[in-house]
Amino acid sequence: MLILGIETSCDETSAAITRDGRILSNVIYSQLIHTRYGGVVPEIASRQHIKTIMPVVQEALSRAKTPLKKIEGIAVTYGPGLVGCLLVGISWSKALAYSLKIPLIGINHIEAHIFANFLEHPKPMPPFVCLVVSGGHTLLVDVKEKGNYRVMGQTRDDAAGEAFDKVAKLLEIGYPGGPLIDRISKKGKRDFVRFPRAYLEKDSLDFSFSGLKTAVAIYASGLSKTKINRNKKDIAASFQEAVADVLIEKSIRALRVAKSKRLGLAGGVARNSRLREKLEAKAKDLKFDLYYPSYELCTDNAAMVAACGDFYLSQGIKSDLSLNAIPYAKISSI
Ligand code: KG4
Ligand code: ZN
């Protein structure tokens, strides 16, 4: 089945073509305009999607060498995400599906992130535990099978990526913070400051990163600008280590609870080199399988949306034209 996937939930306009769940093209336009504001400005992001969605789709069709009339279904993210941004993708997809007389399916963005793993692992992976860590979400999901999920734990405040972005802002490292902190931390001392790790109640699989962010802010407020600048990479590395430690500890707890030996990663923070490095070592040590998508498929992209759409549409599950944006959509089972 040839599927056109559309993703516009935040600041990436993306379109992809998949055939039977395999990528033919995956075009991602990242809105760099937000860099100057130090964060995503929702209204600007929506307007940018309107401008770029058409050329991005055309490029995806051209790279896939697929004419529009061959597309058999459209999959579009309906939430969670920024409402204005979601509406651009949804309205556009509805209009196209209606005019081409092909089915439309609304896709949950968190589920799509999980599907990024299936795009690259030829053998079907489930059951496994998936750590979904991005700018908007941090949760542990028991993926029993495709379409059958149980949320085991989630953040009670900030998402891990959000913490990276906020700490980068307060240390004046730049935006988006995650990749920049990752880069400068490579030369930093991870034990320069012992920031707190919020493990919460015994056995809890929830997360909390707002205390860590505040701890970095309090630490930095006691230092001169010169000292911060001199030790920026050390503070960044110490912060990153604290985030990685918590994510890893909770993931291992979740594997135990789910009696699973398979861990998948998803979302932008799954790109983090220290998280991957420490998890690789743990996986060897504790003998569990570790999967993560390639770089491009960790952050927001339409290939993961198309792959998820392929799964539903091939079972005859589709949305109608009343499909609407749900900014706080939760992941649910079919
Ligand atoms: O999945 P994504 O593109 O968007 C959401 O669904 O939120 O994730 C974006 C987030 C941002 O917070 C960004 O700072 C973070 O992923 N990120 C990273 C890295 N690359 C991206 N965080 C830590 N280390 C990285 N290398
Ligand atoms: Zn995302």
Side-chain angles (χ1 to χ4, degrees):
M1 207 178 194
L2 270 171
I3 306 289
L4 166 64
I6 303 282
E7 160 62 41
T8 62
S9 67
C10 192
D11 57 342
E12 260 89 30
T13 317
S14 180
I17 314 292
T18 56
R19 177 186 283 126
D20 302 329
R22 296 274 152 242
I23 302 175
L24 297 185
S25 67
N26 187 25
V27 178
I28 305 164
Y29 172 84
S30 294
Q31 302 179 356
L32 298 177
I33 188 168
H34 304 287
T35 312
R36 74 176 80 147
Y37 305 105
V40 179
V41 182
E43 184 58 28
I44 295 177
S46 313
R47 287 169 192 272
Q48 196 71 38
H49 285 307
I50 294 172
K51 283 191 202 152
T52 46
I53 191 162
M54 190 79 171
V56 165
V57 171
Q58 280 167 338
E59 181 64 23
L61 289 165
S62 141
R63 284 192 204 171
K65 298 187 177 55
T66 304
L68 187 57
K69 61 177 189 302
K70 287 253 163 95
I71 297 295
E72 293 163 277
I74 301 180
V76 60
T77 307
Y78 70 84
L82 298 168
V83 66
C85 296
L86 291 165
L87 282 172
V88 176
I90 293 173
S91 315
W92 205 89
S93 301
K94 275 193 209 174
L96 192 61
Y98 181 76
S99 64
L100 293 174
K101 298 187 179 57
I102 56 174
L104 170 78
I105 178 82
I107 299 295
N108 181 296
H109 183 76
I110 300 170
E111 184 175 13
H113 270 302
I114 295 173
F115 264 75
N117 279 291
F118 307 141
L119 277 163
E120 293 178 311
H121 299 290
K123 281 192 231 146
M125 281 177 64
F128 68 105
V129 171
C130 193
L131 172 69
V132 187
V133 261
S134 69
H137 327 281
T138 299
L139 61 164
L140 278 160
V141 184
D142 183 4
V143 182
K144 294 170 190 294
E145 54 188 12
K146 291 179 185 175
N148 186 353
Y149 313 104
R150 185 171 67 91
V151 175
M152 305 180 77
Q154 56 198 310
T155 184
R156 295 183 187 171
D157 39 58
D158 293 351
E162 191 182 350
F164 269 97
D165 296 337
K166 286 178 176 167
V167 164
K169 196 169 183 177
L170 78 91
L171 294 177
E172 295 178 4
I173 290 172
Y175 175 86
L180 298 172
I181 288 187
D182 192 352
R183 191 178 339 135
I184 67 167
S185 294
K186 290 200 166 87
K187 291 190 183 133
K189 296 190 194 91
R190 294 174 204 130
D191 56 355
F192 187 73
V193 197
R194 174 81 192 170
F195 287 122
R197 275 88 169 139
Y199 292 114
L200 306 174
E201 306 82 27
K202 187 178 167 296
D203 300 333
S204 171
L205 294 174
D206 281 348
F207 300 90
S208 169
F209 292 106
S210 67
L212 171 59
K213 178 192 67 191
T214 309
V216 179
I218 293 171
Y219 178 79
S221 69
L223 301 178
S224 66
K225 251 209 150 70
T226 326
K227 179 125 174 78
I228 292 181
N229 284 336
R230 200 182 313 129
N231 296 110
K232 214 175 251 187
K233 55 185 184 314
D234 305 316
I235 306 170
S238 304
F239 158 78
Q240 179 175 268
E241 199 67 8
V243 177
D245 281 352
V246 173
L247 293 175
I248 292 167
E249 169 69 25
K250 299 278 177 170
S251 301
I252 290 166
R253 274 188 205 175
L255 285 176
R256 256 184 236 128
V257 173
K259 298 188 174 49
S260 173
K261 283 279 179 193
R262 278 177 167 182
L263 180 69
L265 303 183
V269 183
R271 280 184 170 191
N272 187 266
S273 59
R274 184 64 184 151
L275 176 68
R276 287 184 177 205
E277 179 185 46
K278 289 191 92 169
L279 265 174
E280 291 279 11
K282 281 278 180 207
K284 247 193 205 147
D285 204 23
L286 302 176
K287 299 191 175 38
F288 62 83
D289 296 332
L290 178 66
Y291 300 88
Y292 37 78
S294 58
Y295 250 52
E296 188 174 272
L297 297 176
C298 285
T299 40
D300 292 349
N301 68 87
M304 64 186 193
V305 178
C308 194
D310 181 88
F311 169 70
Y312 286 112
L313 288 172
S314 56
Q315 295 174 69
I317 300 170
K318 53 186 179 177
S319 306
D320 59 30
L321 294 179
S322 67
L323 179 71
N324 206 349
I326 306 184
Y328 295 100
K330 303 257 180 280
I331 186 167
S332 60
S333 303
I334 41 172

